[in-house]
Amino acid sequence: MKPPIRDITVMNPEDMNAAFAEAYNSGDIDKLLALYEPDGILVNPNGGYDQGIEQIRKTLEELLRLQGSMISKNIYCIPFENIALLRAHFILQTVGKDGNPIQILGHTSEILRKQQDGRWLYIVDHPYGAELLRGVDSAG
């Protein structure tokens, strides 16, 4: 497998959510995957954990099938040394099979890590960070 194309570069962690929306809106799976560490984790819609680029790819390809337009705004970014905790609000506009508009919105939680070259990448991406999902252990 070839490595993901890295033409959306996040040099400040607070820019990650806008970068994700930009990558999504491009419709290019490789631009989305380029935002994740190779062994990163994405919480999928069923509440399970996709770990590694190949598992993450499957979930993000499903997201791209919606063929929507996304806006994602950072709510906060708490950096500490080479990691950062983020929370965002996203709105995804698309059209249903019946032709009616659909709006999907929510709040995310993410953990990023700064790479040796200065880029920031997801190590944990939880698109439903404000909601408890089946299968996600919330015990601390």
Side-chain angles (χ1 to χ4, degrees), residues 18-83:
F20 185 92
E22 179 184 345
Y24 175 81
N25 293 336
S26 78
D28 186 334
I29 187 67
D30 289 326
K31 288 182 181 180
L32 283 168
L33 292 173
L35 300 173
Y36 292 82
E37 284 195 0
D39 291 324
I41 294 173
L42 171 64
V43 177
N44 65 43
N46 297 323
Y49 304 139
D50 295 334
Q51 185 166 11
I53 292 298
E54 285 311 307
Q55 287 186 15
I56 291 170
R57 175 186 297 274
K58 293 173 187 173
T59 297
L60 292 180
E61 285 174 340
E62 289 178 24
L63 181 64
L64 285 173
R65 283 190 200 101
L66 295 175
Q67 297 179 342
S69 175
M70 181 184 292
I71 298 170
S72 184
K73 296 187 179 185
N74 190 48
I75 295 173
Y76 63 74
C77 173
I78 304 170
F80 177 75
E81 296 177 359
N82 70 335
I83 62 170

Side-chain angles (χ1 to χ4, degrees), residues 70-116:
M70 181 184 292
I71 298 170
S72 184
K73 296 187 179 185
N74 190 48
I75 295 173
Y76 63 74
C77 173
I78 304 170
F80 177 75
E81 296 177 359
N82 70 335
I83 62 170
L85 173 66
L86 278 69
R87 182 172 170 85
H89 178 260
F90 72 89
I91 301 172
L92 175 60
Q93 307 269 356
T94 189
V95 177
K97 291 180 182 179
D98 60 4
N100 289 322
I102 297 173
Q103 181 173 314
I104 302 167
L105 52 99
H107 290 89
T108 68
S109 296
E110 301 102 11
I111 302 171
L112 310 179
R113 182 170 23 219
K114 189 174 186 177
Q115 309 299 298
Q116 289 184 345

